[in-house]
Amino acid sequence: MASSDYGRAVVEYNHKAAAVQTTYKPDLAGSPCFLVHDSKFRNLIGDTPSIELIEERKGDKFAHEAGVYIKSTNSEYFTSNYQTGKTIEAFSLDCRTREIKELHLPEVINPNGACNYKDQVLFCAQGSLTHSSSLALYDPAASSTSILLTNFLGRPFNSLNDV
């Protein structure tokens, strides 16, 4: 699909129909679209939202999960998917220049899900056979990482996935 074909549709999710019809599913457009669950979302996306493909890497699962926007850096942070022989990586997208950079976070082993926490990125690090899973806080302004938590009541985490 050409990038010009992306996301011109807005689809309203019908919560009432979903509650009473076991077979309900929204009529999604053939291309990516905005699925609106709450009318307030329209205030965010405006009258004519669009989706633009910024980068595509054939055979490379580089854009998989997290999707955390940090306003102070005007950047989006995301993670790749596991690839044969490679670890999971973290990336940043500069929303102004659309430049994508791989982040080098040696303390964050196999990052997966993440969220914005106090204008920083809180990653779930799945860990490895030699490094325990953890919650790691990445401060993009300082380019520093702190491991916040590796266990629950002394029991090590096992492959934290989402936060």
Side-chain angles (χ1 to χ4, degrees):
M1 176 183 311
S3 63
S4 61
D5 297 336
Y6 266 60
R8 305 218 186 280
V10 176
V11 177
E12 300 285 341
Y13 188 85
N14 186 334
H15 288 273
K16 289 179 184 175
V20 296
Q21 299 171 15
T22 58
T23 58
Y24 172 78
K25 64 179 186 178
D27 183 20
L28 300 177
S31 64
C33 64
F34 292 92
L35 182 58
V36 178
H37 286 269
D38 186 311
S39 60
K40 291 181 219 151
F41 182 59
R42 286 199 171 269
N43 295 335
L44 179 67
I45 63 174
D47 294 331
T48 56
S50 64
I51 298 171
E52 179 183 342
L53 178 62
I54 295 172
E55 186 167 337
E56 183 175 40
R57 299 179 185 178
K58 298 286 185 191
D60 186 0
K61 302 170 185 170
F62 88 106
H64 172 70
E65 200 159 335
V68 177
Y69 177 72
I70 301 295
K71 187 175 184 176
S72 63
T73 62
N74 193 26
S75 294
E76 183 85 18
Y77 299 84
F78 59 93
T79 60
S80 68
N81 199 348
Y82 176 75
Q83 300 171 60
T84 306
K86 290 179 77 176
T87 59
I88 300 171
E89 295 97 9
F91 296 89
S92 68
L93 163 67
D94 183 310
C95 294
R96 186 180 53 79
T97 65
R98 297 198 166 115
E99 179 183 3
I100 295 174
K101 293 182 187 173
E102 183 176 343
L103 301 174
H104 298 284
L105 309 173
E107 305 89 355
V108 185
I109 310 298
N110 291 318
N112 194 40
C115 68
N116 183 324
Y117 179 70
K118 297 183 179 181
D119 214 32
Q120 298 176 57
V121 184
L122 180 62
F123 282 109
C124 285
Q126 294 184 100
S128 67
L129 294 175
T130 57
H131 294 84
S132 63
S133 186
S134 65
L135 286 178
L137 189 62
Y138 172 65
D139 181 352
S143 292
S144 64
T145 305
S146 304
I147 302 301
L148 301 182
L149 207 53
T150 60
N151 68 79
F152 177 73
L153 299 176
R155 294 186 70 182
F157 291 134
N158 179 12
S159 194
L160 287 176
N161 190 282
D162 285 318
V163 62

